[in-house]
Amino acid sequence: MWSNVPTFLVGSDWRIMDMDPQVAEWIGKPAHATIGQFCYEAIDAQNLDGSPFCRPECPLLTAFKEHRAVDAVVRLGPQSRKDLRVGVHYAIFDDPLRILHSVVPLESEGSFHSVLTRRQYDIIEKLARGLSHGEIAQQCHVAPSTIETHLKRMRSMLSCHSDRELIAWYREHH
């Protein structure tokens, strides 16, 4: 395989070229049965807001073309035996185009820290307490633009569109 973590490889035609048995177990399908299937049909994964992660308009490739990083946290299921929260990291190879997906299980479902870094947790906690972006930057001893970058990444990762939605997510999961 490609890595010391579970992976799957998707070709330019969106068909799965290679599937680690561990990922196959998580999605509830034999690895050999996924080879040649469209990734968006074989992989049952949802963003944390419930929208589909795998779809014909690949969010990873779109982000790559727009020179954006994607820190995807998705749920695998319901085909899997349990609802599993995983981080998806990726590498895009060209000539020919292939996307290698590394799938890393996160901590238990109830763990808030399984999704956010310690710094991100501190920022969202301060935001939920009513601090402004500038006040958060001062307390964290960083530039306001750094706070904006953290918030933008958290909104993307958690499928939130505003600070208000981030705060609601925090209160629901804290």
Side-chain angles (χ1 to χ4, degrees):
M1 200 45 144
W2 295 82
S3 168
N4 61 348
V5 299
T7 60
F8 65 97
L9 183 67
V10 175
S12 61
D13 60 356
W14 307 122
R15 294 182 186 275
I16 295 175
M17 300 171 68
D18 199 6
M19 173 70 69
D20 185 285
Q22 181 63 66
V23 177
E25 180 181 326
W26 290 333
I27 63 171
K29 298 180 179 181
H32 70 276
T34 64
I35 305 302
Q37 283 192 315
F38 288 111
C39 57
Y40 50 85
E41 292 174 353
I43 306 294
D44 183 19
Q46 301 85 35
N47 294 310
L48 295 181
D49 68 356
S51 63
F53 174 73
C54 298
R55 55 188 182 270
E57 304 80 34
C58 177
L60 301 178
L61 192 57
T62 300
F64 176 74
K65 288 178 181 177
E66 295 173 359
H67 303 286
R68 292 184 293 116
V70 173
D71 296 318
V73 176
V74 301
R75 295 177 197 268
L76 291 180
Q79 292 180 13
S80 63
R81 280 176 244 133
K82 60 183 179 181
D83 188 32
L84 177 67
R85 189 180 301 189
V86 298
V88 178
H89 309 281
Y90 65 98
I92 297 178
F93 304 98
D94 55 4
D95 201 19
L97 175 70
R98 293 163 291 149
I99 304 174
L100 179 66
H101 303 71
S102 298
V103 183
V104 181
L106 300 174
E107 294 176 32
S108 67
E109 183 65 28
S111 173
F112 188 100
H113 301 288
S114 67
V115 176
L116 301 177
T117 66
R118 181 75 211 155
R119 173 62 72 145
Q120 290 170 330
Y121 175 81
D122 289 343
I123 291 168
I124 198 169
E125 184 178 46
K126 288 172 177 30
L127 188 67
R129 288 194 338 236
L131 274 63
S132 70
H133 294 184
E135 291 169 327
I136 296 170
Q138 282 181 330
Q139 287 190 10
C140 293
H141 307 288
V142 297
S145 61
T146 302
I147 298 302
E148 295 296 330
T149 299
H150 277 296
L151 290 169
K152 182 178 178 181
R153 285 188 178 151
M154 284 188 285
R155 282 191 294 270
S156 174
M157 180 174 46
L158 300 172
S159 302
C160 294
H161 299 20
S162 66
D163 285 355
R164 182 172 297 192
E165 288 183 21
L166 274 177
I167 292 168
W169 187 93
Y170 168 82
R171 289 185 176 144
E172 180 181 330
H173 292 87
H174 181 59

